[in-house]
Amino acid sequence: MNRQRTVIIFKSESESTDVYAAELKHHFFHPIFVPTLSFGFKNLEKLCAKLQHPDDYEGIIFTSPRCVEAVCKALDKQELPGGWKMLRNYAVGEVTHNMVHDHLQQLFTHGKQTGNARALAEFIIEAFEGDKDKPLLIPCSNLAQDTLTVMLKEDGFRIDACEVYETKCSPDLSEKMDEALKAENIEFLAFFSPSGVNCASEYFKAKNIPMDKYRLVAIGPSTRRALENKGLKVYCTAERPTVEHLIKVLINPQESRENLLKESQHSLQE
């Protein structure tokens, strides 16, 4: 009988957690979820005021489910003004796209096939058909990476970034990790964000446990870089934040490494 391979997943509880658990178990992995981050919302009145004036914008960019949640909280049970449906709106990944559709009057967003900020920025730059006179509204966190805004500004877009939530290490992280590490046959640690990497590494450092005794899995290039910047070797990288992409690299890490090699060679040629 096959022993299940345990994967500790540093991921906040969300609507997709059950889907991840079911799919991973179906492929004989034993997932343990450790919520790494906690969130506090802020500037919601300021965001609400901006949301009342869709005519002032080219569109809105949702970079995470938390940004969608911030917009819903800012509206406080009001409907999103209908003018936004006439604009060019974008979302990073399918989870965020679906959340916008379900919670904001079926607002449609482009870019759900992108899985990170760089890919979304490239998509917007390539597909945008407008005059760029008005800014794109981006609700974001205090730890937002600059990749998206820098790339868009360099291409002539105007940006209105509104910091609407703070990301901190979860106060329960240490307790949850103590429990998680009691599991048998722990093989992988899977990280979904650079901030998740930072919080988890603080725990391992405090406990004097080397992180590289496990196989480290990154979801997306920015998470991979966060691990590498700490001098850690990344076992494999999932291209996008979906359970299908995660399972694919867990089962076939070599393909992930070959894709990374092609990617780095492409960057060198540019």
Side-chain angles (χ1 to χ4, degrees), residues 5 26 105 230 245:
R5 305 159 77 189
H26 181 69
Q105 291 86 56
K230 293 188 178 296
H245 283 81

Side-chain angles (χ1 to χ4, degrees), residues 13-248:
E13 295 283 337
S14 71
E15 293 170 15
S16 64
T17 306
D18 290 345
V19 176
Y20 273 81
E23 285 297 315
L24 284 159
K25 286 173 184 172
H26 181 69
H27 287 84
F28 306 106
F29 291 101
H30 171 53
I32 299 174
F33 294 91
V34 176
T36 327
L37 307 171
S38 65
F39 303 94
F41 292 98
K42 62 179 185 178
N43 296 330
L44 296 184
E45 287 184 9
K46 184 177 170 186
L47 176 60
C48 185
K50 293 174 186 290
L51 292 170
Q52 302 311 312
H53 299 283
D55 291 349
D56 292 345
Y57 294 94
E58 293 287 353
I60 186 167
I61 301 176
F62 298 92
T63 55
S64 72
R66 207 67 53 186
C67 295
V68 185
E69 195 177 337
V71 169
C72 292
K73 284 183 177 292
L75 290 168
D76 191 23
K77 297 177 184 171
Q78 301 174 58
E79 287 204 349
L80 183 72
W84 288 101
K85 289 195 174 183
M86 309 300 293
L87 304 179
R88 300 170 183 86
N89 305 300
Y90 303 92
V92 175
E94 290 180 32
V95 173
T96 305
H97 166 87
N98 292 339
M99 196 168 169
V100 172
H101 181 271
D102 294 346
H103 296 281
L104 292 171
Q105 291 86 56
Q106 300 184 331
L107 183 70
F108 180 79
T109 55
H110 300 274
K112 70 175 181 179
Q113 72 278 13
T114 64
N116 57 66
R118 177 174 293 279
L120 181 64
E122 288 171 351
F123 171 81
I124 294 172
I125 290 165
E126 195 175 316
F128 192 84
E129 294 176 356
D131 48 22
K132 302 180 187 174
D133 283 347
K134 298 175 184 176
L136 288 160
L137 177 61
I138 308 181
C140 59
S141 88
N142 61 316
L143 298 180
Q145 303 281 310
D146 289 335
T147 307
L148 181 71
T149 54
V150 167
M151 288 178 69
L152 291 176
K153 282 179 180 177
E154 284 177 350
D155 200 66
F157 286 89
R158 294 174 59 201
I159 300 298
D160 183 1
C162 184
E163 200 172 288
V164 291
Y165 69 95
E166 290 183 318
T167 306
K168 303 171 187 172
C169 295
S170 169
D172 301 329
L173 175 61
S174 186
E175 183 187 334
K176 298 274 188 185
M177 274 306 301
D178 288 347
E179 192 61 34
L181 290 176
K182 292 176 186 173
E184 292 183 6
N185 204 26
I186 300 171
E187 187 172 345
F188 303 100
L189 305 180
F191 298 90
F192 271 72
S193 67
S195 43
V197 169
N198 292 335
C199 291
S201 68
E202 285 179 22
Y203 168 85
F204 282 98
K205 188 175 179 183
K207 296 287 183 175
N208 203 23
I209 302 170
M211 284 174 70
D212 48 14
K213 71 181 281 191
Y214 306 102
R215 290 174 165 174
L216 307 180
V217 181
I219 314 298
S222 59
T223 305
R224 181 185 76 238
R225 285 192 292 272
L227 286 163
E228 290 173 342
N229 289 342
K230 293 188 178 296
L232 296 163
K233 184 180 178 184
V234 178
Y235 179 68
C236 58
T237 305
E239 291 174 32
R240 292 174 55 199
T242 70
V243 67
E244 292 81 10
H245 283 81
L246 176 57
I247 289 168
K248 186 178 174 185

